Amino acid sequence: MSYQLFVFPENEVLGEELLQNQLFRRGAATIRRFPDGESYVRLETDVKDQRTAILCTLFHPDEKILPLYFLTRLLRQKGARSVTLIAPYLAYMRQDKVFQPGEAVTSDLFAVMLNGWVDALITIDPHLHRHGALSEIYSIPALVLHAGSLIADYIQKHIEKPLIIGPDEESDQWAGTIAHQAGCPYLILQKERLGDRRVQVSAPDAEKLSQYTPVLIDDIISTARTMIETVKRLQAAAAPPPVCIGIHGIFAGDAWQALKNSGVAQIITTNTIPHPSNDIDVSDLVLEQIERL
Ligand code: R5P
């Protein structure tokens, strides 16, 4: 049985790829803002007794959450049999513990919210650090897809003598797996976060570096300070300019320009978030896994 797919603004590229497959049929809805900033949502196709899916990648989540809520409610009011959220990038996964007394653990609160809105969630490489699995916080079925094999494939095809570098302990799950799949060496550095835009990254083992193309891999590039500090460490060790690969390229504020200016050879991301750096397409991954379901 196919899904009627509702594609949120900014998700059109991936949406069109998914709609090429018979698993999805186009659902029509208008989602826009009134001049005062409030959201307008109108459903334009019949969804009664149908399985529906919403494609809405959740970067800049605060501006998407209210229209998403309105659409999920509307689909239910109009009799949809089920509502699945396809969020290639799942937001609010990094505040996964109380770091300072009094803080909200927003990973858990965000999950409670989505649990009440949709029947199932499909996402790609969520930032699982202190939570070992989405099921620890999501009570709805949550399918986690991994872009690692696509990235490994990209590295094998495009990068000569890669040495994969993960900038921090939690990047091991991505960097280590990708290195294994691509059949190349890797190393994991240590990172200390000093503030939203301030991090310290440990120095890599300089001996290995000169013979390889360093490939920095992280799940998220947000302010890009993690990448930039790692690039500085590589430069200090006289390594060749690195290729930076992020699964989810948020590029907050000046991040894109600052990373480009930092002396990198290339910046590559997957298209879980639309951005000029997108060079790895995740649409087949989504289709294959949904077909398996
Ligand atoms: C958190 O540890 C993530 O894995 C990334 O390393 C982090 O989100 C990158 O953030 P930024 O680009 O702001 O340094």
Side-chain angles (χ1 to χ4, degrees), residues 35-51:
D36 61 5
E38 291 185 6
S39 295
Y40 172 91
V41 179
R42 175 173 174 240
L43 198 55
E44 290 151 10
T45 43
D46 180 23
V47 294
K48 190 158 174 43
D49 295 329
Q50 295 184 32
R51 290 205 306 190

Side-chain angles (χ1 to χ4, degrees), residues 94 127 167-168 170 174 191 193 196 199 218-227:
R94 284 170 293 171
H127 184 83
D168 53 24
E170 64 262 38
W174 298 283
K191 178 174 85 178
R193 184 165 285 285
D196 288 351
V199 296
D218 208 353
D219 60 332
I220 300 169
I221 306 177
S222 177
T223 66
R225 266 47 195 186
T226 299
M227 287 281 182

Side-chain angles (χ1 to χ4, degrees), residues 164-287:
I164 291 178
I165 300 174
D168 53 24
E169 176 201 329
E170 64 262 38
S171 67
D172 199 347
Q173 60 187 293
W174 298 283
T177 311
I178 291 167
H180 181 69
Q181 287 170 334
C184 61
Y186 79 103
L187 48 97
I188 301 296
L189 307 180
Q190 301 294 318
K191 178 174 85 178
E192 194 186 349
R193 184 165 285 285
L194 308 170
D196 288 351
R197 291 170 184 277
R198 285 181 60 226
V199 296
Q200 260 174 11
V201 177
S202 64
D205 173 1
E207 263 185 38
K208 281 189 172 179
L209 291 170
S210 58
Q211 312 145 33
Y212 291 99
T213 308
V215 182
L216 308 191
I217 294 195
D218 208 353
D219 60 332
I220 300 169
I221 306 177
S222 177
T223 66
R225 266 47 195 186
T226 299
M227 287 281 182
I228 292 169
E229 286 308 310
T230 313
V231 173
K232 285 185 194 164
R233 287 300 196 177
L234 293 171
Q235 285 165 343
V243 176
C244 296
I245 303 183
I247 301 175
H248 309 291
I250 297 175
F251 296 105
D254 69 348
W256 172 232
Q257 201 53 48
L259 186 55
K260 281 204 291 189
N261 293 346
S262 70
V264 297
Q266 226 184 333
I267 306 165
I268 307 290
T269 58
T270 78
N271 58 348
T272 60
I273 296 174
H275 188 265
S277 59
N278 292 168
D279 210 11
I280 299 174
D281 179 22
V282 295
S283 51
D284 283 347
L285 176 72
V286 176
L287 285 166

